[in-house]
């Protein structure tokens, strides 16, 4: 069997996973704001191709089609697909979820199926390995939830709109979500304190002060003390204060309040999905994405076991965290290689 390179082309990262004989061999993650245009995406793709060696097949899932640089999702899917076809050639296949695999020239009329189908790829790979589970992937800007029963994905929605209204897509991410989108009132200093509707701080600031970023497997930041100070200052602005107005412990408590509020958003969505009774009370939670530390806490609250996405993937032990962060890329590499 040849070597398959799975791609996840998002709005903030280009991720790729190399697989052969059902095993993930290497993972890449290149930050690349898609607003910088097609040239930046092609540069990231070329960088990965130069390191990957000979490839028999390219399999792709897209999430970057919602960037402001595209008029709408259809235009985003078509333009990204065209750019990828030019770069990767006829050995390119796009993941279209409910419509299966499509060649780079077959996207017309399938934009709705291709757009943001990365969650479906990851959940489908999980469904091959486990008969029953609640799959949750908490990324940097949103959280995907999908029940698995009888080795099948039992999602009630498919498009972003459908999944938003049934709780399967939660607009809460581990680091990029502004804290003003997490809570409008938080406990601080013994009072219920309104949160300013200004994008001063994100959940990355809260997670940094709580030490949660260290649980993701990412290497520690240089000069962490300076970053902690910056995060305290940003969070202080969110409640109309300066960092000198309270102690470091008080700002950590504020970070914990935002983290708790975000966890409750995800928990409420999970409970909504679970209320459909698609899976039993003994079904575990399969966790993926940067926010796995949050999802493990959620599993404890729901009194369910935890399966790490990497537990379902054959890969070197040193790639486990990378595979979890790039779950959709790993999924399309493995699913496409078996197709």
């Amino acid at each position: 069997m040849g070597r398959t390179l799975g791609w996840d082309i998002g709005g903030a990262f280009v991720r790729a996973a190399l697989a052969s004989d059902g095993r993930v061999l290497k993972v890449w993650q290149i930050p690349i704001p898609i607003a910088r245009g097609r040239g930046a995406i092609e540069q990231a793709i070329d960088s990965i191709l130069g390191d990957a060696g000979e490839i028999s097949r390219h399999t792709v899932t897209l999430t970057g089609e919602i960037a402001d640089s595209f008029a709408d999702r259809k235009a985003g899917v078509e333009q990204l697909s065209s750019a990828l076809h030019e770069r990767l050639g006829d050995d390119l296949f796009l993941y279209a979820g409910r419509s299966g695999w499509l060649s780079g020239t077959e996207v017309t009329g399938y934009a709705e199926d291709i757009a943001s189908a990365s969650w479906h790829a990851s959940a489908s790979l999980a469904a091959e390995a486990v008969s029953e589970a609640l799959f949750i992937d908490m990324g940097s800007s949103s959280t995907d939830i999908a029940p698995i029963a009888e080795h099948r994905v039992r999602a009630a929605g498919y498009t972003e709109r459908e999944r938003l209204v049934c709780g399967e897509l939660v607009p809460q991410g581990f680091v990029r979500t502004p804290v003003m989108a997490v809570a409008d009132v938080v406990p601080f200093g013994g009072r219920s304190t309104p949160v300013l509707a200004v994008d001063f701080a994100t959940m990355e600031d809260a997670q940094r002060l709580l030490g949660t970023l260290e649980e993701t497997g990412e290497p520690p930041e240089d000069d962490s003390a300076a970053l902690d100070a910056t995060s305290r200052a940003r969070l202080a602005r969110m409640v109309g204060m300066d960092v000198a107005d309270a102690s470091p412990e008080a700002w950590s408590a504020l970070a914990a309040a935002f983290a708790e509020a975000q966890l409750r958003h995800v928990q409420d969505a999970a409970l909504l999905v679970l209320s459909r009774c698609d899976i039993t009370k003994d079904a575990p939670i399969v966790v993926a994405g940067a926010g796995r530390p949050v999802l493990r806490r959620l599993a404890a609250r729901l009194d369910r076991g935890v399966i790490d996405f990497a537990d379902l993937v054959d890969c070197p032990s040193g790639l486990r965290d990378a595979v979890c962060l790039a779950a959709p890329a790993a999924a399309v590499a493995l699913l496409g290689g078996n197709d």
Side-chain angles (χ1 to χ4, degrees):
M1 186 179 294
R3 288 154 48 101
T4 301
L5 192 56
W7 300 84
D8 177 15
I9 310 297
F13 293 95
V14 171
R15 296 184 172 99
L18 176 63
S20 180
D21 294 327
R23 179 175 172 85
V24 174
L25 306 176
K26 193 166 185 177
V27 175
W28 294 263
Q29 175 175 283
I30 298 179
I32 184 72
I34 207 166
R36 288 170 54 188
R38 174 170 165 170
I41 300 169
E42 292 175 346
Q43 185 177 5
I45 291 173
D46 289 345
S47 175
I48 294 171
L49 287 176
D51 192 37
E54 184 177 350
I55 302 298
S56 303
R57 192 180 201 190
H58 296 275
T59 52
V60 180
T61 184
L62 301 178
T63 55
E65 72 284 337
I66 61 174
D68 289 342
S69 51
F70 303 121
D72 51 32
R73 285 176 171 78
K74 178 176 180 293
V77 167
E78 291 177 351
Q79 291 178 40
L80 286 173
S81 299
S82 175
L84 289 164
H85 186 247
E86 290 179 16
R87 224 61 178 181
L88 304 178
D90 292 335
D91 294 322
L92 163 70
F93 295 88
L94 290 111
Y95 186 77
R98 57 192 178 187
S99 293
W101 295 98
L102 302 172
S103 73
T105 59
E106 293 179 317
V107 300
T108 302
Y110 289 96
E112 190 174 74
D113 292 341
I114 296 170
S116 298
S118 58
W119 67 274
H120 193 280
S122 301
S124 294
L125 185 71
E128 289 190 351
V130 296
S131 62
E132 183 183 48
L134 186 67
F135 172 82
I136 311 182
D137 184 335
M138 187 176 199
S140 59
S141 57
S142 63
T143 300
D144 298 302
I145 302 176
I148 294 169
E150 298 179 341
H151 289 288
R152 293 176 53 201
V153 179
R154 297 297 183 94
Y158 185 86
T159 67
E160 284 197 336
R161 170 62 179 171
E162 291 168 351
R163 296 173 60 235
L164 275 170
V165 299
C166 66
E168 295 174 349
L169 175 59
V170 191
Q172 294 289 329
F174 185 58
V175 292
R176 294 177 62 198
T177 301
V179 298
M180 66 178 183
V182 174
D184 54 12
V185 176
V186 289
F188 185 76
R191 297 182 178 181
S192 294
T193 304
V195 176
L196 292 176
V198 184
D199 190 8
F200 286 138
T202 68
M203 285 305 296
E204 181 174 9
D205 295 303
Q207 305 293 3
R208 178 176 291 114
L209 294 185
L210 296 174
T212 319
L213 295 179
E214 300 169 5
E215 300 178 37
T216 64
E218 290 289 292
E221 300 271 10
D222 295 334
D223 198 3
S224 59
L227 289 170
D228 286 355
T230 300
S231 290
R232 291 188 193 102
R234 289 173 178 159
L235 288 176
R237 294 190 188 104
M238 296 306 304
V239 289
M241 299 173 69
D242 292 321
V243 69
D245 295 335
S247 67
E249 293 76 16
W251 300 125
S252 293
L254 179 60
F258 281 117
E260 172 65 21
Q262 183 175 69
L263 179 53
R264 289 181 183 178
H265 282 298
V266 180
Q267 181 175 347
D268 286 347
L271 289 171
L272 177 61
V273 173
L274 290 170
S275 73
R276 303 200 309 250
C277 297
D278 294 319
I279 60 177
T280 68
K281 63 181 180 63
D282 297 323
I285 296 180
V286 175
V287 300
R292 296 190 315 285
V294 175
L295 300 181
R296 293 187 188 106
R297 294 175 176 85
L298 171 63
R301 292 191 178 190
L302 298 178
D303 195 24
R304 291 178 182 267
V306 176
I307 299 175
D308 205 63
F309 184 80
D311 293 336
L312 310 179
V313 175
D314 183 8
C315 68
S317 59
L319 282 184
R320 287 178 54 85
D321 289 317
V323 164
C324 285
L325 288 170
V332 293
L334 294 168
L335 292 170
N338 294 332
D339 188 59

